[in-house]
Amino acid sequence: MNPVHMRVENLTMAYGDHVIQRDLNFAINQGDVFIIMGGSGCGKSTLLRHLIGLQQPAAGEIYFQQHGFWQASEQDRLAMTRRMGVLYQSGALFSSLTLAENIALPIAEFTALQEKEIAELVSFKLALVGLAGFENYYPSEISGGMQKRAGLARAMALDPEILLFDEPSAGLDPISARLLDDLIIQLSEALRTTIVVVTHELASIFAIGANSVFLDAESKTMLATGAPSHLLHKSDNPKIIQFLTRGEQTR
Amino acid sequence: MNDSAAQSQQQATGEVHLHQLDGVLRIEFIGDWTQSARIKDKPDVSVILQRSVAMQKVRFETDQLHCWDSRLPAYLMPLLKALQTQKINVDTGNLPSGVQALLALAMAVPERGDTGKASQPVGLLSQLGISVISTIANAKLLLTFIGETQIAFWQFFRGRARVRAADFFLCLQAAGPEALPIVTLISLLVGLILAFVGAIQLALFGAQIFIADLVGLGTVREMGALMTAVIMSGRTGAAYAAQLGTMQVNQEIDAIKTMGISATEFLVLPRISALVLMMPLLCLYANVIGILGGALVTVSAFDVSLIQYFNETVKAVHLPDFMIGLFKSAVFALLIATAGCMRGMQCGRSASAVGDATTAAVVDSIVYIVIADSVITLICDQLGI
Ligand SMILES: Nc1ncnc2c1ncn2[C@@H]1O[C@H](COP(=O)(O)OP(=O)(O)OP(=O)(O)O)[C@@H](O)[C@H]1O
Ligand SMILES: [Mg+2]
């Protein structure tokens, strides 16, 4: 078993007084592809925002290796977030910068590399996601799927230890979605990166997930955690079975 | 990447050595090859290429490589490509398996040759040419926009346009009552200034009473319309450009078009008509406040009674003066709303494009206002009104 990379302990998430999820407990292991699943509106994106440190837990703590995220000082927290890369649901590329400038921005900000070397790194990252030669394009000039991949290249700019994705394959055709899944797996294997993915796509869940957590909107807590295929075969919770079989068992 | 990378912070250094042995060029990577490491004297791709052409065989050695991240494959990729095109035998077997996998992934998709986006420096002459062409294109866009707007108004008067009453009233509200405080402040101050400027000269002749003429005519014919126009171009014209520009960025305008609704009728029509209806009213209000401002100065500082000031104003300012001011104001409103809406509708698809559109809208409308004002003033002078 790989060592634990991130651990969530007794996490309660809320917007104001409105509790979204409570008592979440799970661990994300080093090098795994970890899946966050659950119905629409159950708080998956919110959980991701907590993992990145954009939002403070109402209760509980998130541990990054041994270090409590919210017990740390502001500066240590920033250092921790710098070790994560995020691909947002909508790409979130800076629309007034070219793809090359988008990817070069964090590199120029946090390393002392020369311009020529940054350009080399940028070309390499774009080549990794299959966008070689698109350095001088603006985000509005490429397709949605290409924007997702460019977002992935930017998320990987600083070689993060953890990559987090919010619905990477949403809005892509099945073939592009599959290619993106493959890309994620290949990258995680080559770079030994831990990957956290929010997704509804059953194909992705079973294809790439090594571990997972299942959130439920009604009971406002997690129903299970474990390998997706294990959940499908061993779980006796009808909600999980229904989700993982697209509701076909109850028809 | 490796755990050690995080610990061996700033001091990490890396090197690359070239050895020639038994007809093989050995490229040896040593130490840390991470983004935070300092790497000394990396030979250029061309240097390695030159030496490897003589050897015809290249091998990588990584026995003393401590840790790496994507900096290593990023350095290797252009080199490998160059070696490939020279058909030189390369042995990558000694590279870490992760690096090999990444390189395979990065080189799997060939670079798109047809992207046609190489950024080349542009000469002075071509710059001139490009700006002339873009000016002509802009003029065409302006004409198109004006034409579309006229068609939309025509449809509206035939009762065929799709305008939501609620939108129109919101625009009226924003272009009228909400602008009252700032219009009050500015026109009061302009009235004060006019009175002071005139008073210094007129008091020399003991002709303070004529301050009323100066302020009355100046405000009603010129300053009332001009100042409201400047305020409204910064307030409403900019807002129009920003609103429509943001809708353009979010593809909301595309959505409206695909519903079969004319974006010009739906978005531009209510905005232009709201401003054209409200600005003359604001101008009228500004005239009154401006005259009050003048009265404030004259009565308090220059020994003229309020009644005298009022009578003098009534004697000096006639109905045609008011009409000219109001007419100007309506023209300015049309120009401001057109500039704002046009820049918004033609906005690009990025955050900075919205900023550019807003700036351009304000600059355009102020230029249009001043030009229109001069033309109208000249015509009035010729006609003797
Ligand atoms: N900024 C916010 N303020 C208040 N409530 C919010 C906010 N953002 C989300 N919520 C609420 O939190 C709940 C969870 O939202 P979240 O975006 O995390 O869902 P999700 O699981 O990602 O859904 P989806 O799969 O549709 O993206 C929703 O009920 C939503 O109404
Ligand atoms: Mg979401």
Side-chain angles (χ1 to χ4, degrees), chain B residues 12-82:
Chain B
T13 54
E15 283 170 59
V16 52
H17 290 175
L18 306 181
H19 313 278
Q20 274 158 318
L21 196 74
D22 305 334
V24 180
L25 180 70
R26 283 174 34 219
I27 304 178
E28 191 177 17
F29 294 101
I30 297 173
D32 287 326
W33 275 72
T34 57
Q35 292 188 17
S36 53
R38 211 156 43 88
I39 294 175
K40 283 177 286 185
D41 324 319
K42 265 190 311 183
D44 243 22
V45 172
S46 56
V47 174
I48 299 181
L49 204 61
Q50 219 173 16
R51 292 180 64 170
S52 49
V53 168
M55 309 302 284
Q56 285 302 319
K57 195 160 162 55
V58 173
R59 192 162 68 219
F60 296 106
E61 307 273 343
T62 54
D63 292 339
Q64 297 189 58
L65 184 65
H66 180 224
C67 60
W68 59 275
D69 65 10
S70 57
R71 191 170 184 187
L72 180 58
Y75 176 68
L76 284 173
M77 191 174 71
L79 179 62
L80 286 179
K81 276 190 181 157

Side-chain angles (χ1 to χ4, degrees), chain A residues 32-251:
Chain A
D32 270 3
V33 176
F34 187 92
I35 307 238
I36 300 174
M37 52 186 171
S40 184
C42 68
K44 302 184 294 296
S45 299
T46 311
L47 177 58
L48 203 73
R49 287 172 60 83
H50 279 80
L51 291 179
I52 315 164
L54 282 179
Q55 218 168 324
Q56 190 160 5
E61 177 62 301
I62 292 159
Y63 292 90
F64 194 75
Q65 280 158 346
Q66 271 65 263
H67 314 288
F69 200 88
W70 293 100
Q71 291 158 9
S73 70
E74 175 89 33
Q75 219 168 6
D76 293 346
R77 238 191 336 263
L78 277 179
M80 283 190 231
T81 47
R82 209 168 295 154
R83 287 153 70 186
M84 309 180 196
V86 190
L87 172 60
Y88 293 93
Q89 207 159 354
S90 55
L93 293 165
F94 304 120
S95 54
S96 54
L97 303 181
T98 62
L99 296 192
E101 289 165 342
N102 260 288
I103 298 166
L105 183 90
I107 303 180
E109 210 54 37
F110 294 116
T111 67
L113 298 184
Q114 301 291 314
E115 217 163 283
K116 176 167 169 287
E117 229 170 330
I118 295 182
E120 251 172 26
L121 271 169
V122 166
S123 298
F124 175 67
K125 303 272 155 154
L126 280 175
L128 271 185
V129 297
L131 287 176
F134 284 91
E135 277 87 348
N136 292 317
Y137 276 65
Y138 283 93
S140 53
E141 295 171 338
I142 57 176
S143 77
M146 289 157 87
Q147 286 180 11
K148 281 262 166 71
R149 282 185 278 146
L152 176 58
R154 190 183 65 180
M156 295 189 313
L158 291 173
D159 288 314
E161 295 166 33
I162 303 189
L163 266 173
L164 301 103
F165 298 85
D166 198 348
E167 310 206 13
S169 42
L172 298 185
D173 65 276
I175 296 173
S176 307
R178 178 66 205 280
L179 288 177
L180 193 68
D181 284 348
D182 291 348
L183 186 62
I184 292 173
I185 295 217
Q186 284 164 341
L187 288 175
S188 79
E189 280 171 2
L191 290 165
R192 285 157 292 165
T193 316
T194 307
I195 290 187
V196 180
V197 191
V198 172
T199 184
H200 301 285
E201 302 276 324
L202 286 182
S204 312
I205 291 175
F206 290 114
I208 66 179
N211 201 352
S212 68
V213 63
F214 190 99
L215 305 183
D216 179 43
E218 272 167 39
S219 57
K220 290 192 191 277
T221 186
M222 56 188 260
L223 294 184
T225 171
S229 52
H230 182 86
L231 289 189
L232 176 64
H233 294 120
K234 298 286 157 61
S235 175
D236 47 9
N237 191 315
K239 270 185 191 154
I240 298 178
I241 305 292
Q242 211 175 353
F243 186 93
L244 290 178
T245 57
R246 279 211 191 98
E248 270 159 19
Q249 302 230 320
T250 52
R251 265 190 216 155

Side-chain angles (χ1 to χ4, degrees), chain B residues 113-358:
Chain B
D114 61 345
T115 49
K117 267 276 179 168
S119 54
Q120 288 164 347
V122 187
L124 199 64
L125 208 59
S126 9
Q127 262 178 15
L128 185 70
I130 290 171
S131 62
V132 168
I133 293 175
S134 79
T135 311
I136 295 175
N138 267 338
K140 271 189 197 159
L141 284 177
L142 177 65
L143 283 181
T144 316
F145 181 82
I146 292 175
E148 278 174 358
T149 313
Q150 280 176 348
I151 294 174
F153 268 100
W154 175 237
Q155 295 285 26
F156 177 73
F157 288 120
R158 290 170 65 196
R160 295 227 186 124
R162 234 180 269 269
V163 180
R164 277 171 17 116
D167 281 351
F168 177 63
F169 286 119
L170 274 180
C171 291
L172 275 187
Q173 166 91 12
E178 285 176 13
L180 280 180
I182 179 88
V183 169
T184 312
L185 179 71
I186 300 290
S187 27
L188 189 74
L189 292 180
V190 168
L192 291 179
I193 293 168
L194 275 181
F196 265 119
V197 170
I200 293 168
Q201 305 300 323
L202 293 171
L204 289 177
F205 312 105
Q208 292 96 324
I209 186 65
F210 291 110
I211 299 173
D213 295 51
L214 180 83
V215 172
L217 281 176
T219 303
V220 168
R221 283 185 78 115
E222 198 60 53
M223 293 314 278
L226 201 60
M227 290 323 286
T228 37
V230 170
I231 294 168
M232 294 312 276
S233 73
R235 219 185 153 273
T236 308
Y240 287 175
Q243 286 161 1
L244 298 183
T246 313
M247 292 182 78
Q248 189 71 264
V249 172
N250 290 339
Q251 300 191 313
E252 290 171 50
I253 293 188
D254 292 352
I256 288 175
K257 282 182 189 159
T258 46
M259 286 174 197
I261 300 173
S262 153
T264 316
E265 285 174 20
F266 198 72
L267 298 170
V268 176
L269 206 60
R271 287 184 167 75
I272 292 187
S273 40
L275 198 62
V276 172
L277 281 179
M278 283 328 244
M279 272 253 302
L281 296 182
L282 280 178
C283 172
L284 205 58
Y285 173 77
N287 289 343
V288 174
I289 299 288
I291 290 174
L292 279 181
L296 201 67
V297 169
T298 321
V299 171
S300 59
F302 294 99
D303 196 23
V304 176
S305 79
L306 195 58
I307 303 289
Q308 281 172 315
Y309 187 92
F310 176 77
N311 285 337
E312 187 62 29
T313 304
V314 170
K315 215 163 67 188
V317 182
H318 303 287
L319 193 59
D321 300 323
F322 267 103
M323 296 316 281
I324 288 171
L326 294 187
F327 172 71
K328 273 184 185 173
S329 175
V331 173
F332 295 163
L334 191 63
L335 295 174
I336 294 169
T338 308
C341 291
M342 187 183 77
R343 290 296 183 174
M345 294 296 279
Q346 290 164 0
C347 176
R349 285 271 159 87
S350 68
S352 65
V354 177
D356 292 344
T358 315

